[in-house]
Amino acid sequence: MKKALPIVWLVLVLAFIYVPILVLAVYSFTDAHMVGGSVGGLTFENYINLFNNEDLRNMIFGTLVLAIGSALIATALGTLGAIGAFYSKKLPKTLINGANQIPVINADVVTGFSLCVLLIVFFGIDKDTYIPLIIGHVTLCTPFVYLSILPKLKQMDNNLYEAALDLGATPTQALFKVVIPQLLSGILSGFMLAVTLSLDDYFITTYTKPSTFDTISTYVVNATKGSNTEVKTALWALSTVIFIVVIIVVICMNVIPSKKKENK
């Protein structure tokens, strides 16, 4: 009984997380107009509408460009910040770690409104330039990249950097040829996390985006308030596609390193 209880609890937790997504995925292959409504039969019409609708295509493309671009910037800043803090003295390291925690703990709505006031109202940056939007997403993602890389730095042998210097490498060469290769898995994890956070964000995007631009999150919220059933059901298909892509990425990130370890 004691062995069965943890398994039952795990199954319940996983069911709570994934059953709603699976239900939505099933309905994305039907002609139903609402989840729980009558189903006439299986169809791929929602997926056809998803890729034929120009507004949806532009929204998806813009969201991906924003997510990947802001994630690249956040990954660079988070990596350099983590390395700098790790090799700093105790006081600067403590201050940097504390400052990094603020955006993580702070509510997104507070961060989004603060960035709006600072960048758009105080500095007068035009929202149509996309600069406030990019800064907002980089601000959101960078602390999580930092937290992804810091454990890898703690696991790394500190003598490697000093050995590279002793063998004649410059600090820059030691950084890029010795330290960063040791952190690649953490950097990749941080990048993927940054992409996910950018794709998922609503509040910061709402406060900083141009009026004519929508990401998946803002588009979905606006679509659910409207009466366009075709767009709503196409978004079921989009949710299913995103879920499948995430599963594939997670499997690849776990299987490929395991195979490399086995080959070694």
Side-chain angles (χ1 to χ4, degrees), residues 123-137:
F123 286 110
I125 301 175
D126 190 355
K127 289 174 69 175
D128 291 333
T129 61
Y130 291 89
I131 293 176
L133 179 61
I134 295 172
I135 292 177
H137 278 243

Side-chain angles (χ1 to χ4, degrees), residues 238-253:
L238 176 60
S239 300
T240 305
V241 170
I242 293 173
F243 182 62
I244 292 172
V245 170
V246 169
I247 289 176
I248 293 172
V249 171
V250 170
I251 291 174
C252 291
M253 289 180 65

Side-chain angles (χ1 to χ4, degrees), residues 185-239:
S185 60
I187 293 172
L188 180 59
S189 298
F191 173 77
M192 295 304 301
L193 181 58
V195 171
T196 304
L197 288 168
S198 180
L199 290 172
D200 184 60
D201 178 71
Y202 173 75
F203 289 108
I204 293 176
T205 305
T206 300
Y207 282 114
T208 57
K209 75 179 184 68
S211 57
T212 57
F213 180 80
D214 269 313
T215 61
I216 292 174
S217 57
T218 59
Y219 191 94
V220 167
V221 172
N222 294 330
T224 54
K225 296 177 182 178
S227 57
N228 193 332
T229 304
E230 182 180 297
V231 171
K232 289 181 181 178
T233 54
L235 291 174
W236 299 352
L238 176 60
S239 300

Side-chain angles (χ1 to χ4, degrees), residues 17-95:
I17 295 172
Y18 291 109
V19 166
I21 300 174
L22 295 176
V23 170
L24 187 65
V26 170
Y27 270 90
S28 71
F29 291 98
T30 68
D31 56 0
H33 296 303
M34 60 180 294
V35 175
S38 58
V39 178
L42 297 178
T43 177
F44 289 95
E45 190 65 27
N46 292 329
Y47 292 86
I48 295 172
N49 292 335
L50 173 64
F51 294 105
N52 284 342
N53 189 305
E54 186 177 358
D55 287 340
L56 288 174
R57 289 202 310 269
N58 292 337
M59 177 269 295
I60 295 170
F61 178 76
T63 303
L64 291 175
V65 170
L66 173 64
I68 294 172
S70 59
L72 287 172
I73 298 172
T75 301
L77 294 176
T79 302
L80 294 176
I83 294 172
F86 183 76
Y87 287 106
S88 296
K89 295 182 179 180
K90 185 176 181 180
L91 180 60
K93 181 187 296 186
T94 303
L95 292 175

